[in-house]
Amino acid sequence: MARRLPSAIPIVPVAVNLVRAATRDRLAPEKMEQLQARLLRKLVTHAHATVPYYRETLDPDVVATFTGPADLHRLPILPRSEISLQGARLLADGFSPANTREARSSGTTGKPATSYFSEGDLGYLRATYLWDLLATGMRPTDRIAYFRVGGFRRHRLEKLGLARNVHVNTSLGLDEQVEAFLAGRPNFLCGFPNAIVAVVGELKRRGIRPDDVRGVVFAGEKVTQAARTEVTEYFGARANEVYASVETYSIARSCPRGALHLRSGDVAVEVEHDDGSVSRATAGGLLEGNILVTRLHAEAMPLLRYRLGDRVLIGPDDCACTTFSTPIVRQVIGRTVDQLQTADGRLRHGDWVGSMIIPLPGIRQFQLVQAEPGKVEVLIVPATTPTDLAERAAAAMASTPDFDITVRLVDTIPPGPNGKIRMVHSLL
């Protein structure tokens, strides 16, 4: 039964689910498999019984005999485009836009996806988000700056000085973002890396060095090693990474050793390969392809085997940390729409070029611009005073097949309306 939305964020569900999320983080592989099986059976049954879209697309016999993660391949894949096409038909009975919370993706692909969450969903999702921050070094008394378009709702604990929010709206101009940062005096930063890097660059230009930032969590887009180092050294802060989306929330989080482990207690992950085959993320070896995500806690809007739009490289757990025992996201290669066109009309993912740029020292930001098939201009914002950076970048990419590449150093790369910088900007 759907309930009316409360006027303030309920604290008790978050506290209860915080303990649950922290416990699930440390489950042994066999226990994690059992948990996923139980939650998936419940989710699939719920989706088929209450969601109009799944009543039509799920085979009743498959639902009746569904056992868990090993049976995911028996369910249809949900393309990202279906969220917009299906709309309310993806909502469970009793739920509507009027009695759920709406959340829109940042629209990196140009087509924002709108998801809906019940208060039951949010009680768990808020807890997992809070747990990610606490586990990466946030203190309850910290002021947290969120570098993102939308802000978070206020909660009662802020009046007690706990988990206070500072919203740095990345859709605004850089000066406005800097002013919001300075006014909020945050201790902990979380959000789009390129937005954080841009604010750091402007603070350095103004000769301002805040001394109370202790931690940074990069989330939402790729970041070069030089940019990461610039931010952490400027603040003297510890850095972590979270891989998440609006539709699925946390998918993976970095451990103390820096490995980006899957949050297998919250999501079931598969990889769809270029030949159309699909592998579970628990399979051995390296898996490369489009990520499919099933959020295990979804009351209002279940998304089964959701094709998020990211290309990833996932490998088995070979990390020596004692925090997780889950597979590791070796690389979020980029958005599947970040493609470049060869002279003969073939499409290749932009990471063929981008992967050669990210490891190079001295690069703060970059973008691949294509105005003509077979030709790519690489825009680079230097992290330091450039010397031979353009020559080194050009040499690193000289052997890139199918493309005639030129390099140009620039002072800035304009972000999109959401504050992110697309890896590939196609003018074709």
Side-chain angles (χ1 to χ4, degrees):
M1 178 66 69
R3 299 178 179 178
R4 290 186 177 182
L5 297 173
S7 58
I9 294 178
I11 301 301
V12 173
V14 174
V16 171
N17 286 313
L18 182 63
V19 175
R20 183 175 295 152
T23 302
R24 289 175 176 176
D25 254 3
R26 292 171 170 78
L27 288 177
E30 62 276 8
K31 294 292 186 182
M32 188 69 77
E33 186 83 359
Q34 293 170 12
L35 173 68
Q36 282 201 346
R38 175 171 62 83
L39 294 177
L40 278 169
R41 288 195 300 269
K42 179 180 178 181
L43 182 67
V44 171
T45 300
H46 167 66
H48 181 252
T50 67
V51 179
Y53 174 79
Y54 285 118
R55 276 199 288 263
E56 296 178 5
T57 58
L58 294 182
D59 184 333
D61 291 336
V62 170
V63 175
T65 57
F66 187 86
T67 61
D71 283 341
L72 278 170
H73 69 281
R74 302 172 66 193
L75 306 178
I77 292 172
L78 178 67
R80 194 172 189 273
S81 59
E82 285 297 295
I83 290 187
S84 298
L85 291 174
Q86 297 298 326
R89 296 186 71 251
L90 279 168
L91 285 167
D93 293 342
F95 292 101
S96 71
N99 61 19
T100 55
R101 300 288 181 189
E102 176 185 307
R104 293 171 62 86
S105 67
S106 60
T108 303
T109 63
K111 298 178 180 179
T114 301
S115 302
Y116 296 93
F117 302 95
S118 68
E119 278 300 319
D121 294 329
L122 291 173
Y124 189 83
L125 295 176
R126 289 167 179 146
T128 58
Y129 200 88
L130 177 59
W131 173 237
D132 281 342
L133 297 181
L134 290 170
T136 51
M138 187 198 85
R139 297 170 183 168
T141 56
D142 280 343
R143 294 181 297 275
I144 309 107
Y146 296 101
F147 287 74
R148 46 178 282 169
V149 175
F152 287 102
R153 292 171 61 207
R154 296 296 181 182
H155 55 84
R156 293 188 180 98
L157 293 182
E158 289 190 81
K159 295 181 179 179
L160 302 177
L162 300 176
R164 291 162 291 179
N165 296 333
V166 176
H167 181 208
V168 180
N169 188 340
T170 56
S171 69
L172 300 178
L174 180 57
D175 287 341
E176 293 171 285
Q177 293 182 47
V178 170
E179 294 311 313
F181 176 90
L182 293 174
R185 298 180 298 108
N187 311 111
F188 204 86
L189 316 182
C190 179
F192 300 157
N194 280 307
I196 297 175
V197 169
V199 167
V200 166
E202 179 61 15
L203 290 173
K204 291 171 69 173
R205 189 190 70 80
R206 297 184 187 185
I208 301 172
R209 183 181 292 274
D211 58 3
D212 48 2
V213 176
R214 297 183 301 96
V216 181
V217 174
F218 296 110
E221 57 182 343
K222 297 168 75 71
V223 59
T224 66
Q225 186 57 49
R228 183 188 181 98
T229 300
E230 181 180 7
V231 170
T232 55
E233 290 185 350
Y234 178 72
F235 290 120
R238 171 185 171 187
N240 283 276
E241 185 175 358
V242 169
Y243 174 37
S245 77
V246 168
E247 307 95 294
T248 64
Y249 274 57
S250 294
I251 299 170
R253 187 185 77 230
S254 59
C255 70
R257 291 178 175 265
L260 195 60
H261 289 264
L262 287 178
R263 298 292 309 281
S264 299
D266 299 325
V267 291
V269 170
E270 304 165 90
V271 175
E272 181 184 26
H273 307 292
D274 292 341
D275 63 2
S277 63
V278 178
S279 301
R280 287 180 57 203
T282 54
L286 292 176
L287 307 175
E288 181 175 344
N290 298 331
I291 191 169
L292 306 178
V293 184
T294 302
R295 181 163 53 84
L296 301 177
H297 304 271
E299 179 184 36
M301 190 176 181
L303 302 178
L304 306 178
R305 307 189 77 201
Y306 176 55
R307 188 185 284 130
L308 179 59
D310 285 341
R311 188 173 180 86
V312 297
L313 182 65
I314 297 178
D317 177 30
D318 58 1
C319 183
C321 78
T322 57
T323 304
F324 296 98
S325 299
T326 59
I328 297 171
V329 180
R330 312 284 179 177
Q331 186 181 4
V332 180
I333 296 172
R335 301 296 291 180
T336 54
V337 295
D338 283 338
Q339 294 184 321
L340 299 168
Q341 186 175 335
T342 63
D344 58 3
R346 290 176 293 119
L347 293 177
R348 299 191 67 181
H349 194 273
D351 189 64
W352 284 90
V353 181
S355 62
M356 300 179 184
I357 300 172
I358 290 176
L360 291 177
I363 295 178
R364 176 187 286 169
Q365 296 166 324
F366 74 94
Q367 186 175 64
L368 314 179
V369 179
Q370 184 169 48
E372 183 180 340
K375 295 185 178 181
V376 176
E377 183 180 41
V378 181
L379 304 182
I380 292 177
V381 178
T384 57
T385 302
T387 52
D388 61 344
L389 180 57
E391 290 78 8
R392 287 190 287 111
M397 295 176 287
S399 61
T400 303
D402 301 324
F403 296 107
D404 177 14
I405 296 178
T406 58
V407 176
R408 179 160 61 96
L409 301 186
V410 296
D411 293 330
T412 61
I413 297 175
N418 56 15
K420 291 185 178 182
I421 295 177
R422 284 281 298 273
M423 181 171 70
V424 173
H425 179 47
S426 178
L427 303 175
L428 297 178

